[in-house]
Amino acid sequence: MNSTKKIDFISKWIKNYVDNMKNPARTLIVGVSGGIDSALTSTLASLTGIKTIAISMPILINKNSTDLGSVHGKWLLNNFSNTHFLNIDLTESYKIFYSQLLNAEQTSELGFANSKARLRMMTLYQVASTQNGLVVGTGNKVEDFGVGFYTKYGDGGVDISPIADLMKSEVRQVAKELGVCEEILTAPPTDGLWGDDRTDEDQLGASYDELEWAMNFQGKPEDLFGRQKEIYYIYNKLNKQNKHKMCAIPVCNIRRKK
């Protein structure tokens, strides 16, 4: 399926999902970070003709990421009459949260990074509740079903996931076809949760192209050497480590028949 057909398929899928809801939503809510995944998702949502609200939510974030989110928001406004753009700075809210937990000596750096994603999720759902909206996920297939590179109940807390069956390479192709800003297309992927310039590759130990290769690899690991072998083990380690994000919550079923 070429990029044009993927665009048509996904935008129609979103619209059909909304139209077939028992109580159809009136609005699509998308968090935009300045990254390619959220840029693509917000554009696909806008293409449905349904009212779409794209929301940038900076939290002590590096200036470049915030600017790219705003650049994309302005591009959406210029291209879609059904789309609105909001910039909601959550820095002060996060600072209060941070100070309270710091005083309680709960100082996990990873925990605080994930809390930023969860604060953004809460913001998206607050807006959704006032707009009869659906929160639209922005994760791609490698992130959501390969290495689980997202925050549980943060950016993983969504109502629908329209690009979760697209590999990262497909995300780039489709976003380019739609005319997404060149700066966003070429920017190094980053989750923007750490307050520094670390990229996704810095955190994962492999690029998305490498992880995509490992996700598609069908051969025997014992036949691999060098970097390919290293990537294979990085991918499988992350996949196992984050499997709890990709599976249903375990339920103690006391009524299960023996």
Side-chain angles (χ1 to χ4, degrees):
M1 187 184 293
N2 63 33
S3 294
T4 301
K5 289 182 179 179
K6 289 172 185 174
I7 291 165
D8 185 60
F9 185 93
I10 297 171
S11 60
K12 284 182 178 177
W13 180 89
I14 297 171
K15 191 172 189 310
N16 288 339
Y17 182 89
V18 172
D19 290 344
N20 288 313
M21 292 174 66
K22 187 174 182 181
N23 296 301
R26 294 197 303 266
T27 314
L28 300 170
I29 312 296
V30 190
V32 293
S33 63
I36 192 170
D37 296 314
S38 62
L40 173 59
T41 303
S42 55
T43 305
L44 291 167
S46 298
L47 281 168
T48 65
I50 300 168
K51 179 181 178 183
T52 298
I53 302 178
I55 308 176
S56 175
M57 297 166 285
I59 307 174
L60 298 171
I61 201 167
N62 69 71
K63 186 177 184 296
N64 186 53
S65 295
T66 303
D67 284 346
L68 287 180
S70 296
V71 166
H72 180 67
K74 291 173 183 175
W75 181 84
L76 289 172
L77 293 176
N78 288 333
N79 285 276
F80 299 98
S81 59
N82 59 307
T83 301
H84 305 259
F85 175 67
L86 299 177
N87 186 77
I88 303 175
D89 194 326
L90 297 174
T91 296
E92 294 306 314
S93 298
Y94 174 74
K95 282 182 177 178
I96 293 170
F97 173 85
Y98 179 86
S99 66
Q100 293 299 311
L101 272 293
L102 197 64
N103 291 338
E105 298 184 353
Q106 305 300 315
T107 58
S108 165
E109 186 182 14
L110 176 60
F112 280 131
N114 284 328
S115 292
K116 292 178 183 177
R118 292 177 180 128
L119 180 56
R120 289 177 178 138
M121 178 274 293
M122 291 170 60
T123 303
L124 293 174
Y125 274 99
Q126 179 62 30
V127 175
S129 70
T130 65
Q131 298 287 329
N132 188 16
L134 282 178
V135 175
V136 183
T138 62
N140 61 67
K141 189 168 187 174
V142 181
E143 290 175 331
D144 282 8
F145 299 111
V147 293
F149 190 63
Y150 59 87
T151 298
K152 200 172 187 179
Y153 308 118
D155 48 328
V158 300
D159 293 315
I160 58 173
S161 294
I163 69 165
D165 198 32
L166 292 183
M167 291 292 196
K168 191 73 170 186
S169 58
E170 294 177 293
V171 168
R172 295 191 200 100
Q173 293 164 2
V174 176
K176 185 174 183 179
E177 178 79 12
L178 284 169
V180 167
C181 170
E182 185 68 23
E183 287 180 273
I184 292 173
L185 292 175
T186 58
T190 176
D191 60 18
L193 297 177
W194 299 91
D196 55 30
D197 293 327
R198 75 185 73 180
T199 65
D200 291 355
E201 185 172 348
D202 292 332
Q203 296 184 65
L204 294 166
S207 69
Y208 280 110
D209 287 338
E210 290 175 325
L211 293 170
E212 189 171 319
W213 167 83
M215 193 171 180
N216 290 323
F217 179 68
Q218 299 294 320
K220 298 178 181 179
E222 55 266 30
D223 294 334
L224 298 174
F225 298 92
R227 180 60 178 166
Q228 284 191 335
K229 186 173 184 178
E230 183 182 3
I231 295 163
Y232 177 84
Y233 283 107
I234 287 172
Y235 171 82
N236 280 278
K237 178 183 177 182
L238 291 168
N239 180 271
K240 291 176 183 177
Q241 178 179 300
N242 293 318
K243 186 66 73 177
H244 66 98
K245 301 181 187 179
M246 301 176 247
C247 298
I249 297 171
V251 174
C252 175
N253 191 339
I254 200 169
R255 293 174 180 80
R256 182 177 297 155
K257 292 180 181 180
K258 294 182 179 180

